[in-house]
Amino acid sequence: MSALMFSCGGKEEKKEEGFSLERQKAKTEQTQEAVVSDAVKASERVALDNKGVGPVKSVTLAPEVDPQMAAKGEEVYNQMCLACHRVGKRFIGPAPNGILERRSPEWVMNMILNPEVMVKEDPLAKDLLVEFNGSPMANQGLTEEQARTVLEYFRTLE
């Protein structure tokens, strides 16, 4: 009886010449991709309660923009940031306009002053690194005062 079972009804395997590999994505991979494609981009995400990681713990902004400070900030921005950031458009890094509608002042200053630690420890900075093709923000060695002037300049941008 067992000899009959082994001899009948078995599958016949056909060997094809050459090599072929067909791979199907696991359901979890497909689900993750769907979630990522439906999620808001890190550059558009609003996270005003996140202060980031770094020396800046609190920033108080005056109700009105300080024009002298903003002018100094624009000079610093044009000298140190313009290589990677463009107002009004995505470039190597995100556009700075409207940043204070999406990020806390502390987060912005910590990103300027402490980009290496931010991309290692801050979830949003990590997501931005991924969104911008792994191009990390360079530490330009700005002082806290210079970073604050850049922040004031950002307040003038729409």
Side-chain angles (χ1 to χ4, degrees), residues 29-43:
E29 286 178 327
Q30 291 171 344
T31 303
Q32 287 173 342
E33 284 181 2
V35 168
V36 170
S37 67
D38 291 340
V40 176
K41 292 180 185 178
S43 59

Side-chain angles (χ1 to χ4, degrees), residues 94-131:
N97 44 304
I99 188 68
L100 294 171
E101 295 169 9
R102 298 183 308 278
R103 310 282 179 269
S104 69
E106 296 84 2
W107 190 94
V108 173
M109 287 185 63
N110 281 323
M111 191 66 189
I112 291 170
L113 296 169
N114 203 25
E116 303 93 349
V117 175
M118 286 284 286
V119 297
K120 287 180 184 172
E121 297 180 21
D122 182 79
L124 181 55
K126 288 178 184 180
D127 290 348
L128 284 166
L129 182 66
V130 170
E131 181 181 341

Side-chain angles (χ1 to χ4, degrees), residues 33-151:
E33 284 181 2
V35 168
V36 170
S37 67
D38 291 340
V40 176
K41 292 180 185 178
S43 59
E44 297 170 0
R45 197 175 309 148
V46 176
L48 295 171
D49 58 338
N50 181 354
K51 294 187 181 215
V53 180
V56 180
K57 304 299 181 207
S58 178
V59 175
T60 303
L61 299 177
E64 299 296 321
V65 172
D66 179 331
Q68 290 178 329
M69 187 186 291
K72 287 179 187 175
E74 184 175 12
E75 288 175 19
V76 172
Y77 174 85
N78 287 338
Q79 182 181 7
M80 306 301 280
C81 310
L82 201 55
C84 297
H85 299 274
R86 298 286 193 268
V87 175
K89 68 179 183 178
R90 178 186 175 105
F91 195 53
I92 295 168
N97 44 304
I99 188 68
L100 294 171
E101 295 169 9
R102 298 183 308 278
R103 310 282 179 269
S104 69
E106 296 84 2
W107 190 94
V108 173
M109 287 185 63
N110 281 323
M111 191 66 189
I112 291 170
L113 296 169
N114 203 25
E116 303 93 349
V117 175
M118 286 284 286
V119 297
K120 287 180 184 172
E121 297 180 21
D122 182 79
L124 181 55
K126 288 178 184 180
D127 290 348
L128 284 166
L129 182 66
V130 170
E131 181 181 341
F132 287 87
N133 302 317
S135 298
M137 184 164 145
N139 188 333
Q140 297 295 332
L142 271 61
T143 65
E144 198 167 316
E145 182 182 333
Q146 288 173 312
R148 178 61 184 89
T149 65
V150 171
L151 180 73

